[in-house]
Structures are given as structure tokens and as C-alpha cells.
Amino acid sequence: MTTETSPVAPDRIALDPFVTDLDGESARLRAAGPLAAVELPGGVPVWAVTHHAEARQLLTDPRLVKDINVWGAWRRGEIPPDWPLIGLANPGRSMLTVDGAEHRRMRTLVAQALTPRRVERMRERITKLTADLLDALPQGADAPEVVDLKAAFAYPLPMYVIADLMGIDEAQLPRLKELFEKFFSTQTPPEEVIATLTELAGIMAETVAAKRSAPGDDLTSALILASEDGDHLTDEEIVSTLQLMVAAGHETTISLIVNAVVNLSTHPEQRELVLAGAADWPSVIEETLRWSTPTSHVLIRFATEDVRVGDKVLPAGDALIVSYAAIGRDEKAHGPTAGDFDITRVPENRHISFGHGPHVCPGAALSRLEATVALPALYERFPELELAVPATELRNKPVVTQNDLFELPVRLGG
């Protein structure tokens, strides 16, 4: 074991809180080696795994845990409670923040609720929501020339789906949108951080209480009822799990749909392949997940002892993030064309953008299902859809964990 104080790395890369050049930043992280010293917004020093093989190894290494109390900086009081990313680093007790037997216990109970059958049952609802949202897009002679496809389609579809799945009152969605904007942003004022987390937890607790009183055919009710040898999730665990699944369940899918549209618009030869039937939509989705992964960096794991990664050491008590944006274009994993968007790469595509190992994303199947329904329906309705501005003018939101745009201005065509 090392001492509590970690050495200061002279080559530490500061992650841009405004995400003005994610591709360039990811390239610098890869070039720094499989283990890069980085600084999160707010001046918090951590390490990042940036190569595919090493990420797979570390994501299954039992010396890397999710317990924030292992983090030396946390124990020393160096991480303030109003740090903008505290809700991601310390999101409450759920399967995201425990390991070993406790993680297996909670994951088993969640799996009882989030079954493949339950996800597949959402297909009809996703198809109907997709059609309704496409019908509502402005069309005809009086329609505006430019439409924000994120606001009108890519955002509401996953949000309505996750609300349906979890049994959340749709009247809560506008406020949840505002709260999650603050939850993910690096620019949330310190005085609003704790209030945001408190209100989010309150809405989730209200949902759990309502479902205890009147269970429905939804995932929250199923989580309450899930049992393994008489064991149940506690209310605290259900609230944290609910918040985790709502947060990840809509943000990832929004970015997946948005990024796929951007990729096809900026690679017309690839779009022609899929529209002509020479490639399929799952190939578009998997290549989008690899090349422009919705999740840029995942916070956060902590080393219980020194861990050697290549020619560097991740010291005991230090924190590790997983830089999926960098990992997705690792040439050692994806060959010399890793920097190219190529939907014919699938099924050779071996990305890990939904994670790997015990903490792999439980909602991956739902996100893929939504994109598999939404994207072909969108392009069947609007095959001439194109960006209304150059791709270089698209603006990333100040969110270091998500590859997320403020808006997606398009011309629908036709």
C-alpha cells in the first residue's frame, strides 16, 4: 500500500469543462498512454484509462472498487460537497456504488425487475411514441426551414420511454429535465448542487412511495416486489437505483440518436449504404456507439492497492475514470481505421461503450431497442434529412460525462 498523498503528475491533462474539442481531447488522452493523469473540472486530480485492452482488464479487476470511502482525496476532505460532479461520484447506495457480494445481491434483484421480456414489451410503446413524434414534426409549406431534431424527437422519445418504464408521472418530466441538466453540467453553481440532488432524490422517493401504495405494471413496482431468498431492496436502494436508471436511461439514448444522425449526415456514403439496404441499422448503432460513444467518461472507481497499468502505477487510494470516447478509437483494438466511421466494420466491432464486467450497463438492451426503432422510422419518413449547419458549428453541452449537444438543427427535406 502507498501513502495517502499521491504524487503530482507533471503531465496531467485537464479535461475541458465546456467540451469544445472532444475528439482532440480524446486523441491526447490516448497518446498519453493507457493510463493518463487527468484533472476533472473543479481541479480534482484523477487517472483515466484510455485504451481498450487495459479498460477491459481494469473493469474486471477486483482491486478497483466503487466505494468512495476508498478515495484518499475524499477521506482527506479535498472533495467539497458542492463539487458539480459529486452526484456522479457519490450517487447514493445502489448497484452502481457497491461491489462483490452486495453488488451481486442488488444486481440480481434489479435483473428480476428489468427482464428481457419487460424490455421487449416496450417495443410497441416505443414504436407508437416514435410515430407520434414524427407526425408532430413541422411539415408542409408553412413549416420552418430548420428544426431542432434533438428537442423535437431525440430528447422526448427516451424521456417518455423511461417514464413509462419506471412509472414516473409525466407531469414531472419538465422539472426532471431541468434538474438533470444541472445534475450533469460542470457549470452548475455550487449553491445549486446540493439543492438539485435533494430535489431529484425527493421526486424519486415520491415515486417509490406512490408505487408502494398503488403498485402498477412498471419497473419501480417490480423493484419493490423483487425478492431473493426473502431479501428485498431497501427504499434507499430503490430510490438510488431509480435515479440511476432514469439518468442513464434517457441521456445515453438521446446522444445515441443524435450522434447517429450527425454521423450519417457527415458521411453520406455510409448513409447511402444503409438507406439502400447494403448495411443494416444495428451496424449504424454499434458503429455510432464505438466512434462517437454517448458516454465520454464514466466516473468513478477507486484503487484499494497499487495497480500497474503499462509503465505507470495507479496508486492505492486514487480515483480512476473510464474514458470511453478515447477507448472507442483505439487503433490497437480497432485497427488503423479506428478513426473512421465505417458501418461495414460491424460485426467485427468490439466496442465496450456500455461498459464491461460486473458493472456493465443494465439498460443497454433498452437503449439499443429505442435506437433500432427510432432511426429507421426517422429516415423512412425523411430520407433527405440533413444538417442545417456545418458539423463544426454544433455545440457540445458542458458535460464531461456525456457526448451531448445543445441542439441538432436539421432540414427535414421532402
Side-chain angles (χ1 to χ4, degrees), residues 235-317:
D235 274 9
E236 177 191 1
E237 292 167 345
I238 296 171
V239 166
S240 294
T241 299
L242 178 57
Q243 181 168 315
L244 161 68
M245 299 189 77
V246 173
H250 79 280
E251 281 289 342
T252 300
T253 308
I254 293 166
S255 296
L256 174 54
I257 294 171
V258 166
N259 293 348
V261 171
V262 173
N263 294 344
L264 293 177
S265 298
T266 54
H267 298 82
E269 76 290 350
Q270 301 287 304
R271 184 171 80 168
E272 287 307 310
L273 284 175
V274 70
L275 294 185
D280 59 22
W281 285 103
S283 298
V284 174
I285 291 165
E286 298 308 315
E287 182 68 346
T288 296
L289 287 166
R290 179 196 73 84
W291 193 76
S292 52
T293 178
T295 305
S296 310
H297 309 280
V298 166
L299 278 57
I300 199 166
R301 286 168 169 78
F302 313 102
T304 58
E305 60 183 85
D306 289 358
V307 179
R308 178 163 292 278
V309 183
D311 62 354
K312 296 179 182 176
V313 172
L314 171 63

Side-chain angles (χ1 to χ4, degrees), residues 102-137:
E102 269 300 276
H103 176 261
R104 288 190 293 274
R105 165 192 164 260
M106 295 181 68
R107 185 110 185 178
T108 297
L109 292 169
V110 171
Q112 287 184 17
L114 187 61
T115 62
R117 181 179 179 185
R118 182 180 293 275
V119 171
E120 183 57 32
R121 278 168 48 197
M122 294 296 296
R123 182 183 294 272
E124 183 178 349
R125 177 62 172 149
I126 294 167
T127 301
K128 176 67 164 57
L129 281 168
T130 297
D132 289 346
L133 289 168
L134 291 176
D135 287 344
L137 289 175

Side-chain angles (χ1 to χ4, degrees), residues 143-164:
E145 181 183 5
V146 176
V147 173
D148 180 358
L149 193 65
K150 179 182 177 182
F153 181 69
Y155 174 83
L157 175 62
M159 204 60 184
Y160 281 125
V161 168
I162 202 68
D164 272 7

Side-chain angles (χ1 to χ4, degrees), residues 175-404:
R175 183 55 180 161
L176 283 174
K177 181 179 188 296
E178 297 172 355
L179 291 171
F180 278 118
E181 292 271 355
K182 296 179 180 179
F183 177 83
F184 284 105
S185 177
T186 63
Q187 301 305 300
T188 300
E191 64 272 15
E192 296 182 18
V193 170
I194 295 175
T196 297
L197 296 176
T198 300
E199 187 174 352
L200 271 173
I203 291 174
M204 302 305 161
E206 288 173 10
T207 301
V208 172
K211 295 302 175 180
R212 278 203 183 280
S213 298
D217 184 17
D218 54 74
L219 188 56
T220 301
S221 298
L223 287 171
I224 292 169
L225 296 173
S227 174
E228 178 75 9
D229 297 328
D231 181 30
H232 296 268
L233 293 168
T234 67
D235 274 9
E236 177 191 1
E237 292 167 345
I238 296 171
V239 166
S240 294
T241 299
L242 178 57
Q243 181 168 315
L244 161 68
M245 299 189 77
V246 173
H250 79 280
E251 281 289 342
T252 300
T253 308
I254 293 166
S255 296
L256 174 54
I257 294 171
V258 166
N259 293 348
V261 171
V262 173
N263 294 344
L264 293 177
S265 298
T266 54
H267 298 82
E269 76 290 350
Q270 301 287 304
R271 184 171 80 168
E272 287 307 310
L273 284 175
V274 70
L275 294 185
D280 59 22
W281 285 103
S283 298
V284 174
I285 291 165
E286 298 308 315
E287 182 68 346
T288 296
L289 287 166
R290 179 196 73 84
W291 193 76
S292 52
T293 178
T295 305
S296 310
H297 309 280
V298 166
L299 278 57
I300 199 166
R301 286 168 169 78
F302 313 102
T304 58
E305 60 183 85
D306 289 358
V307 179
R308 178 163 292 278
V309 183
D311 62 354
K312 296 179 182 176
V313 172
L314 171 63
D318 273 17
L320 178 79
I321 67 173
V322 185
S323 294
Y324 287 108
I327 291 164
R329 301 191 191 183
D330 181 2
E331 292 188 1
K332 291 182 180 178
H334 303 290
T337 63
D340 298 337
F341 178 75
D342 179 8
I343 61 177
T344 66
R345 191 186 312 272
V346 179
E348 303 306 320
N349 195 332
R350 296 175 297 149
H351 73 79
I352 55 170
S353 295
F354 280 120
H356 177 69
H359 287 280
V360 66
C361 176
L366 178 62
S367 186
R368 284 186 168 105
L369 174 59
E370 290 180 69
T372 302
V373 171
L375 288 168
L378 172 66
Y379 279 91
E380 182 179 359
R381 188 79 65 95
F382 303 108
E384 298 176 14
L385 184 155
E386 63 180 8
L387 295 181
V389 299
T392 54
E393 294 183 13
L394 296 172
R395 303 180 303 143
N396 276 81
K397 294 172 69 174
V399 179
V400 297
T401 56
Q402 303 297 127
N403 184 5
D404 196 7

Side-chain angles (χ1 to χ4, degrees), residues 63-83:
R63 295 173 295 177
L64 274 296
V65 300
K66 305 301 287 287
D67 181 0
I68 196 170
N69 295 299
V70 172
W71 193 7
W74 176 260
R75 294 197 305 268
R76 295 189 296 270
E78 296 168 7
I79 310 301
D82 56 2
W83 180 42

